[in-house]
Amino acid sequence: MSEIVLMSDPKVAAIPVVESGERLVDVRHDGRLLVDTRKQDPADAFVHLREGVLERLVKAQTMLPAGMRLLFVEGYRPPSLQREYFEEYAGQLRADNPDWSSHEIHSAASRYVSPPDIAPHSAGAAVDLTLADADGHELDLGTRMNADPEESEGACYTHAPNITGEARVNRQLLGAALTSAGLVNYPTEWWHWSFGDRYWALIAGETAALYGPKELDSRN
């Protein structure tokens, strides 16, 4: 596997944000995407994305083979929830690896949960998704969504060698469609794709991010 740039890399935080002001929109409104409810929250924050990200997902779906659809699982994540997720996983790693330094804990945690200050989900820029067949049944992509590196023995990495041929082909189909639509993948998580955030800007060679952290309110 090629070198992976983690979310905790200083190069990511160094990317400036030139906020576009684009709205967060509910991806369910026009029914163009299949939406899974496993990450549903009381405020339905999870089904929101920036308008530009949603349009790119819709475009990506048209590039999939006949009988295959995107299955949306989670988009926007409030900054407070992102912090909770990060601290919970960092605490787990700290308990399992008491000899690790705080820097090692922070870096390792960022393989699976983005540091709160640069998290693409909190900008409405990232989406966790997978593939489904025409009847909405989830396809095999090698691990369950949100499997961490420890649980999956690294199979959650996008280009992991320890997955079946079927899962590899499905990952390639998902990746080809989303890349063609302008999104970038976080390579420690095959399901995580984004557009317009700091990580996207770094990987895509852009000088600034389009979207920064945002609160979900009635003006969105």
Side-chain angles (χ1 to χ4, degrees):
M1 290 184 284
S2 59
E3 181 183 359
I4 291 174
V5 178
L6 294 175
M7 290 283 183
S8 59
D9 194 302
K11 295 193 293 289
V12 180
I15 297 289
V17 177
V18 180
E19 175 59 56
S20 71
E22 201 171 284
R23 295 185 310 139
L24 288 167
V25 294
D26 188 328
V27 305
R28 299 172 299 186
H29 279 172
D30 58 16
R32 290 182 290 178
L33 296 179
L34 287 174
V35 177
D36 185 283
T37 58
R38 76 188 74 171
K39 300 292 286 187
Q40 189 165 19
D41 59 281
D44 277 350
F46 84 110
V47 290
H48 288 78
L49 284 176
R50 299 285 189 137
E51 288 178 298
V53 183
L54 174 57
E55 290 308 312
R56 282 168 174 78
L57 291 184
V58 172
K59 178 181 178 183
Q61 185 162 255
T62 67
M63 302 177 189
L64 293 172
M68 193 174 285
R69 296 187 67 182
L70 296 178
L71 179 61
F72 176 101
V73 176
E74 185 180 18
Y76 175 72
R77 191 180 294 157
S80 59
L81 182 59
Q82 183 69 31
R83 182 166 288 101
E84 178 183 324
Y85 284 171
F86 187 83
E87 292 176 354
E88 179 181 1
Y89 185 51
Q92 176 186 324
L93 290 172
R94 194 175 294 111
D96 292 342
N97 304 277
D99 57 329
W100 285 10
S101 68
S102 58
H103 173 76
E104 288 172 317
I105 295 293
H106 187 83
S107 180
S110 74
R111 297 170 306 163
Y112 181 57
V113 185
S114 302
D117 52 334
I118 54 93
H121 280 288
S122 295
V127 58
D128 292 343
L129 79 175
T130 187
L131 291 174
D133 63 20
D135 297 320
H137 299 129
E138 194 168 336
L139 300 181
D140 177 18
L141 274 87
T143 72
R144 71 174 184 89
M145 184 174 290
N146 293 319
D148 63 42
E150 291 75 29
E151 168 195 333
S152 68
E153 297 183 337
C156 59
Y157 283 51
T158 305
H159 299 293
N162 55 332
I163 59 174
T164 66
E166 178 185 3
R168 185 170 294 107
V169 168
N170 286 337
R171 288 189 188 188
Q172 290 169 347
L173 290 170
L174 178 68
L178 292 167
T179 299
S180 294
L183 287 87
V184 302
N185 172 242
Y186 190 43
T188 63
E189 301 176 343
W190 60 260
W191 56 85
H192 177 105
W193 292 79
S194 69
F195 172 85
D197 60 291
R198 283 169 156 169
Y199 193 83
W200 163 84
L202 178 67
I203 301 304
E206 300 291 336
T207 57
L210 305 176
Y211 312 133
K214 187 175 178 63
E215 295 292 343
L216 181 64
D217 58 38
S218 59
R219 294 186 297 276
N220 291 310

